Amino acid sequence: MSERNFFEHINYFKLFVEGDISIYDWQTWFDRYAPQLFSNIKRLDYLCLKFYPLEHLCKILEKYGISYKKRERCSKCSDVLFRAIPGITIKEEIMTFAQNAKFKGAEKIAQEAWMHPGMHYPNCGFTIFHSYKID
């Protein structure tokens, strides 16, 4: 994959960094292009894309002067963080999150359209609970 061909994928990289593409879709892309990448980029860059895609893709976007809005991702599963905040997060957002989530108990959350306030990750089910003071 030449630098020109590599640059053709820059929009895909941006979508991944911004959280519009899941880690699973990224892994599928990487597996598809791995032979070309391995042959045409430095070994260190290849390994960084394979094992630390988010950090390395941010560097690539910066190298080409492409702006992006990085979303928080889970350090375990690399999926995008979902925040449940009372009075801000609406039921439809909770239902959509839970319907796409893969952790145990997601179906119940989708049915009830409620989840404990906090930061939630859709694949590993990791949660950081928050308590909010109600005035």
Side-chain angles (χ1 to χ4, degrees):
M1 179 181 294
S2 67
E3 185 165 333
R4 184 178 149 272
N5 290 341
F6 189 74
F7 192 73
E8 289 175 5
H9 297 281
I10 206 86
N11 287 332
Y12 192 83
F13 300 163
K14 183 177 178 180
L15 289 172
F16 175 72
V17 168
E18 292 182 339
D20 296 322
I21 293 175
S22 74
I23 187 66
Y24 301 108
D25 291 332
W26 165 257
Q27 289 167 338
T28 300
W29 181 93
F30 187 87
D31 291 344
R32 179 178 176 191
Y33 291 100
Q36 294 169 323
L37 289 168
F38 190 77
S39 298
N40 293 294
I41 64 175
K42 295 177 186 174
R43 180 171 168 74
L44 179 60
D45 289 332
Y46 175 85
L47 293 172
C48 287
L49 282 173
K50 183 174 183 174
F51 296 110
Y52 306 102
L54 184 60
E55 295 85 357
H56 200 64
L57 290 173
C58 288
K59 290 177 185 177
I60 291 170
L61 292 174
E62 290 164 7
K63 175 183 174 181
Y64 289 104
I66 296 171
S67 63
Y68 60 90
K69 184 179 178 185
K70 184 176 171 185
R71 296 190 42 204
E72 293 180 79
R73 289 184 176 262
C74 178
S75 61
K76 293 181 182 182
C77 70
S78 294
D79 222 334
V80 177
L81 165 79
F82 176 78
R83 292 181 188 268
I85 303 170
I88 296 175
T89 308
I90 60 174
K91 288 184 177 188
E92 289 79 12
E93 291 172 319
I94 293 171
M95 290 171 60
T96 300
F97 166 78
Q99 289 167 350
N100 295 320
K102 296 174 177 63
F103 60 87
K104 184 178 178 182
E107 300 84 18
K108 184 176 180 183
I109 291 170
Q111 290 171 354
E112 296 176 357
W114 184 91
M115 62 191 324
H116 194 284
M119 298 183 299
H120 306 270
Y121 296 95
N123 291 319
C124 65
F126 183 73
T127 299
I128 300 172
F129 294 114
H130 288 281
S131 296
Y132 293 88
K133 184 178 180 181
I134 300 174
D135 295 325

